[in-house]
């Protein structure tokens, strides 16, 4: 049988919708089915030749109307959705979820299409029965029997349409499967088309039942019909027709099974002839249980190929590692004696190092003593410095108190100057008053000498008072100038004392650093002594270990020879594994 395959573009590059392809694909099978169904049906009824010819003409008209008018409408209705998705798939592509949905719809389409064909044949059977009763005037019983046989024989058209469309949809499903669909959906549903059990019922069981029933009906009709002398021949003819009918449907079922057998044969042949590293798998459309079994075989092939690939990679790594190990073993064997000599030299060096460590320990102990003496001296000087700093602070406070006292004295001297000024003013007024009194005394009574003398004495006392106040002012000015000089000197002294305090504080910080360094030096030196002691103990242990190593190195040469022998055996095993992998890929050709 011809293998049908849907190609989205024709030889001229013009796009071919799946709807149009499905319609034209069914024309020839439908016309063949019409002829077979009509010939099958007329064998069950007893009508004359003229009526048969007229009925044949009406069959042509009804078929032409159904095929050219009704079929395009129903075909577009059931295939438009799939046609649109196939167009998207061929132009822009679909993702995994969309491809999974599309493969389900594609694998359901053959059965839906066969039901559409059966529906058309059913309608045409009704139309032909109406024509035979009302136009050709055939009796109702004969027309009814023919209607029943038409309905049953239309099953052939349904199965033929199913077979043709399954071939087309199988090719599409294989391409969708190759691009990749949802594996979880496959594990849950197993397959998306018609099961082989249901196909067996449609192709074998139902035709056998139809054939048996109509053979019996034909025999009964011919036996009880009056004037039908050829009833026995009619029964034989109908039986032969049933056998042919049954053979066709059985052949279609056989071709369905054989198609999967052919897929397996082609896949096995491709796998056996494949000499490249490219993985070859069985074509899978997931239409039936058999196809799902091929899917599982593909998974097994992928797993086994992955295992063989990993084995080959491991084998290559083993070979590479064995080669490197062999080279290293030879180098190790050649350097074993050199290492033994080096170890002996190291032992001698370690003994010298141990002696040197004892010398270092004694020197560091001397450093510890010096650091401790430095720490003690720093502590003593630091105490003296701290006392000096406290004395400087006391001097600063005392000097500040002196400055405040001198400033207070200056204030009091200013107050005394004010009093002296007041006394001077009083003395001057007293002198004026005495002078006036003396004038008055000379004017009143020149003989009264006592008043005149008193006035003179008062004026003389006023002059002395003014002289004394003048001297007092001069002394006060001298005291004030001396106080100001003393204040300036005290302030300068205070500044110097502050600078001394700052210098003392910095010196104190330096002594802190020296003290910390001395303490740290002593502690670090003690730690060094501890480390040196530990190092000495480690050297002793290392000398013991090196002695053992020296003994082991001498026996290492023998171990290296054993490694070389083992590596050679490992390389032989790796070569055997490589040959086994090559034989796996060339099994088909060798068989």
């Amino acid at each position: 049988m011809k293998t049908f395959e849907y190609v989205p573009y024709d030889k001229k590059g013009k796009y071919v919708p799946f709807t149009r392809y499905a319609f034209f694909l069914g024309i020839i099978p439908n016309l063949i089915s019409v002829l077979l169904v009509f010939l099958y049906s007329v064998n069950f009824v007893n009508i004359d030749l003229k009526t048969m010819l007229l009925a044949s003409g009406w069959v042509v008209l009804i078929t032409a109307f159904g095929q050219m008018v009704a079929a395009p409408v129903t075909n577009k209705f059931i295939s438009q959705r799939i046609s649109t998705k196939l167009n998207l798939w061929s132009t822009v592509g679909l993702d995994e979820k969309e491809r999974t949905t599309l493969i389900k719809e594609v694998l359901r389409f053959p059965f839906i299409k066969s039901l559409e064909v059966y529906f058309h044949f059913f309608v045409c059977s009704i139309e032909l029965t109406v024509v035979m009763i009302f136009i050709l005037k055939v009796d109702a019983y004969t027309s009814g029997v023919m209607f029943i046989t038409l309905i049953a024989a239309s099953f052939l058209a349904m199965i033929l349409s199913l077979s043709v469309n399954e071939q087309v949809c199988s090719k599409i499903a294989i391409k969708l499967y190759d691009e990749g669909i949802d594996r979880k959906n496959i594990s849950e549903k197993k397959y998306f088309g018609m099961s082989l059990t249901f196909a067996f019922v449609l192709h074998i069981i139902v035709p056998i039942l139809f054939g048996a029933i109509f053979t019996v009906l034909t025999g009964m009709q011919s036996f009880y019909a009056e004037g039908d002398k050829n009833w026995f021949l009619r029964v034989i003819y109908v039986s032969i027709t049933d056998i042919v009918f049954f053979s066709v449907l059985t052949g279609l079922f056989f071709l369905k099974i054989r198609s999967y057998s052919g897929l397996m044969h082609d896949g096995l042949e491709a796998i056996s002839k494949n000499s490249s590293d490219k993985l070859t798998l069985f074509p899978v459309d997931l239409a039936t249980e058999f196809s799902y079994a091929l899917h599982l075989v593909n998974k097994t092939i992928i797993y086994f190929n992955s295992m063989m690939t990993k084995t080959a990679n491991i084998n290559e790594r083993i070979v590479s590692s064995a080669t490197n190990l062999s080279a290293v073993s030879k180098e190790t064997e050649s350097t074993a004696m050199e290492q033994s000599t080096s170890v002996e030299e190291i032992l001698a060096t370690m003994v010298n190092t141990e002696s040197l460590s004892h010398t270092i320990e004694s020197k560091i102990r001397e450093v510890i003593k010096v650091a401790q003496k430095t720490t003690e001296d720093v502590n003593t000087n630091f105490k003296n410095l701290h006392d000096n700093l406290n004395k400087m602070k006391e001097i600063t406070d005392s000097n500040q108190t002196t400055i405040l006292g001198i400033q207070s004295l200056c204030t009091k001297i200013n107050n005394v100057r004010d009093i002296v000024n007041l006394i001077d003013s009083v003395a001057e007024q007293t002198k004026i008053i005495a002078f006036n009194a003396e004038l008055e005394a000379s004017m009143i009574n020149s003989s009264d000498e006592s008043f005149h003398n008193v006035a003179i004495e008062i004026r003389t006392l006023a002059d002395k008072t003014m002289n004394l106040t003048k001297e007092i002012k001069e002394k006060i000015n001298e005291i004030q100038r001396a106080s100001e000089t003393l204040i300036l000197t005290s302030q300068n002294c205070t500044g110097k004392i502050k600078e001394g305090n700052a210098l003392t504080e910095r010196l104190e910080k330096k002594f802190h650093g020296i003290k910390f360094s001395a303490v740290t030096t002593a502690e670090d030196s003690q730690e060094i002594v501890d480390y040196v002691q530990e190092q000495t103990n480690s050297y002793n242990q290392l000398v013991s270990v090196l002695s053992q190593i020296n003994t082991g190195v001498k026996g290492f040469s023998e171990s290296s020879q054993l490694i070389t022998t083992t590596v050679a055996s490992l390389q032989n095993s790796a070569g055997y594994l490589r040959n086994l992998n090559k034989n796996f890929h060339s099994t088909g050709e060798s068989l």
Side-chain angles (χ1 to χ4, degrees):
M1 179 179 286
K2 179 182 177 182
T3 301
F4 300 98
E5 182 177 1
Y6 168 62
V7 180
Y9 298 94
D10 57 17
K11 295 180 180 180
K12 296 181 180 180
K14 186 178 180 181
Y15 174 68
V16 180
F18 180 77
T19 300
R20 187 171 67 182
Y21 179 82
F23 172 73
F24 285 106
L25 180 66
I27 291 178
I28 295 178
N30 289 343
L31 294 179
I32 295 175
S33 299
V34 168
L35 178 61
L36 294 176
V37 168
F38 180 72
L39 293 177
Y40 181 83
S41 299
V42 296
N43 290 326
F44 288 89
V45 294
N46 186 14
I47 58 177
D48 54 59
L49 181 60
K50 180 180 179 181
T51 303
M52 183 182 297
L53 294 176
L54 291 174
S56 300
W58 279 102
V59 168
V60 172
L61 292 176
I62 292 172
T63 302
F65 177 81
Q67 189 66 41
M68 304 306 296
V69 178
V73 177
T74 56
N75 176 74
K76 185 175 182 180
F77 176 76
I78 65 173
S79 62
Q80 182 62 45
R81 178 183 176 88
I82 296 178
S83 180
T84 302
K85 290 187 176 181
L86 289 174
N87 182 27
L88 290 174
W89 177 43
S90 62
T91 53
V92 298
L94 301 175
D95 57 27
E96 185 179 87
K97 183 178 180 181
E98 292 171 337
R99 287 194 299 270
T100 304
T101 304
L102 179 57
I103 196 173
K104 292 179 181 179
E105 296 179 358
V106 166
L107 292 175
R108 286 196 295 263
F109 177 76
F111 185 70
I112 296 174
K113 182 65 177 179
S114 64
L115 292 178
E116 181 224 7
V117 171
Y118 190 80
F119 171 76
H120 282 294
F121 274 78
F122 181 81
V123 174
C124 290
S125 298
I126 295 175
E127 293 174 352
L128 182 59
T129 302
V130 172
V131 168
M132 291 182 67
I133 293 174
F134 294 101
I135 297 178
L136 301 180
K137 305 301 182 180
V138 179
D139 62 279
Y141 175 77
T142 302
S143 299
V145 172
M146 188 170 182
F147 174 72
I148 295 174
T149 56
L150 286 171
I151 295 302
S154 298
F155 190 76
L156 175 63
M158 173 182 173
I159 298 302
L160 186 61
S161 173
L162 177 65
S163 178
V164 172
N165 284 279
E166 278 182 342
Q167 294 184 45
V168 176
C169 293
S170 176
K171 298 291 184 181
I172 298 174
I174 289 173
K175 293 180 180 179
L176 288 169
Y177 174 86
D178 291 339
E179 287 193 15
I181 60 176
D182 185 10
R183 302 298 175 182
K184 182 179 179 182
N185 214 300
I186 296 175
S187 300
E188 293 176 353
K189 301 296 183 181
K190 309 300 183 185
Y191 57 92
F192 307 116
M194 182 187 301
S195 67
L196 291 176
T197 303
F198 187 67
F200 178 78
V201 171
L202 288 180
H203 289 79
I204 306 298
I205 304 300
V206 175
I208 290 176
L209 293 176
F210 280 161
I213 292 171
F214 285 114
T215 299
V216 173
L217 289 178
T218 303
M220 292 176 62
Q221 178 187 2
S222 301
F223 181 78
Y224 290 107
E226 297 180 358
D228 188 3
K229 298 179 180 180
N230 298 321
W231 65 271
F232 184 73
L233 295 176
R234 185 181 298 278
V235 171
I236 295 175
Y237 182 73
V238 169
S239 299
I240 293 173
T241 306
D242 287 338
I243 292 172
V244 174
F245 179 72
F246 174 73
S247 298
V248 171
L249 295 179
T250 304
L252 292 176
F253 182 73
F254 173 75
L255 290 175
K256 182 181 181 69
I257 300 300
R258 188 177 180 276
S259 64
Y260 288 107
S261 177
L263 289 176
M264 178 171 283
H265 176 270
D266 295 340
L268 288 173
E269 190 175 23
I271 292 172
S272 64
K273 292 181 179 180
N274 183 24
S275 60
S276 63
D277 294 333
K278 184 178 180 181
L279 184 62
T280 303
L281 301 174
F282 289 107
V284 175
D285 59 5
L286 293 175
T288 63
E289 303 95 316
F290 195 87
S291 182
Y292 177 70
L294 292 180
H295 164 71
L296 295 179
V297 173
N298 283 344
K299 290 180 65 176
T300 304
I301 291 173
I302 293 172
Y303 173 75
F304 189 71
N305 182 77
S306 175
M307 183 178 66
M308 292 300 296
T309 302
K310 291 179 180 179
T311 303
N313 292 334
I314 293 172
N315 179 61
E316 293 299 326
R317 289 199 294 269
I318 290 173
V319 172
S320 177
S321 299
T323 303
N324 295 333
L325 184 59
S326 178
V328 171
S329 177
K330 292 179 180 179
E331 292 178 0
T332 303
E333 184 179 2
S334 64
T335 57
M337 297 305 297
E338 295 178 2
Q339 290 180 354
S340 178
T341 304
S342 299
V343 169
E344 292 177 355
E345 293 178 357
I346 292 172
L347 283 172
T349 304
M350 295 301 297
V351 172
N352 295 331
T353 304
E354 183 179 6
S355 175
L356 181 62
S357 298
H358 288 295
T359 303
I360 293 172
E361 182 179 359
S362 62
K363 295 297 183 182
I364 292 176
R365 290 188 182 278
E366 293 178 1
V367 171
I368 291 174
K369 292 180 180 179
V370 173
Q372 290 176 347
K373 183 64 171 59
T374 302
T375 302
E376 293 174 358
D377 294 341
V378 168
N379 288 332
T380 302
N381 292 329
F382 181 76
K383 183 178 180 181
N384 295 332
L385 185 65
H386 187 69
D387 293 340
N388 186 26
L389 181 62
N390 290 332
K391 293 296 183 180
M392 292 291 287
K393 289 182 178 179
E394 291 177 1
I395 293 171
T396 301
D397 296 338
S398 177
N399 188 58
Q400 190 68 28
T401 303
T402 301
I403 292 173
L404 293 176
I406 293 173
Q407 290 177 347
S408 176
L409 179 62
C410 289
T411 302
K412 291 179 180 181
I413 290 173
N414 289 329
N415 294 331
V416 172
R417 177 183 291 174
D418 294 337
I419 294 173
V420 170
N421 290 332
L422 180 61
I423 293 172
D424 186 57
S425 176
V426 171
E428 186 176 358
Q429 292 179 359
T430 302
K431 184 179 178 179
I432 293 172
I433 292 171
F435 180 75
N436 292 329
E438 186 179 355
L439 289 177
E440 289 292 332
S442 60
M443 291 175 64
I444 297 175
N445 188 5
S446 58
S447 62
D448 191 0
E449 292 292 334
S450 59
F451 183 74
H452 182 265
N453 292 331
V454 170
I456 293 172
E457 289 294 332
I458 290 172
R459 185 162 58 87
T460 302
L461 180 61
D463 290 333
K464 291 181 178 180
T465 300
M466 289 179 67
N467 292 329
L468 288 174
T469 55
K470 183 177 180 181
E471 292 179 0
I472 289 172
K473 286 182 179 180
E474 291 177 356
K475 296 297 181 180
I476 288 171
N477 289 331
E478 290 178 0
I479 292 171
Q480 189 173 11
R481 285 193 297 272
S483 298
E484 290 176 353
T485 303
L486 184 60
I487 289 173
L488 292 175
T489 302
S490 298
Q491 289 177 346
N492 291 332
C493 184
T494 301
K496 296 296 181 180
I497 292 172
K498 288 182 178 180
E499 291 179 359
N501 287 336
L503 181 61
T504 303
E505 289 176 354
R506 289 197 296 271
L507 187 59
E508 184 180 10
K509 292 180 180 179
K510 294 293 183 182
F511 272 107
H512 271 296
I514 294 171
K515 179 181 178 182
F516 178 77
S517 299
V519 174
T520 303
T521 301
E523 293 176 352
D524 292 344
S525 298
Q526 186 61 44
E527 290 180 0
I528 292 173
V529 170
D530 296 336
Y531 290 152
V532 169
Q533 290 177 348
E534 292 179 0
Q535 186 178 9
T536 303
N537 295 331
S538 299
Y539 282 153
N540 294 330
Q541 296 177 1
L542 187 58
V543 168
S544 177
V545 172
L546 286 174
S547 299
Q548 297 176 3
I549 292 174
N550 188 27
T551 304
V553 168
K554 292 179 179 179
F556 193 70
S557 178
E558 297 178 359
S559 300
S560 299
Q561 293 177 355
L562 180 61
I563 291 173
T564 303
T565 304
T566 305
V567 167
S569 177
L570 185 61
Q571 287 176 338
N572 292 332
S573 300
Y576 173 77
L577 187 60
R578 187 187 300 109
N579 293 331
L580 181 63
N581 192 19
K582 291 181 179 178
N583 291 334
F584 168 73
H585 289 291
S586 61
T587 299
E589 297 180 0
S590 63
L591 291 176

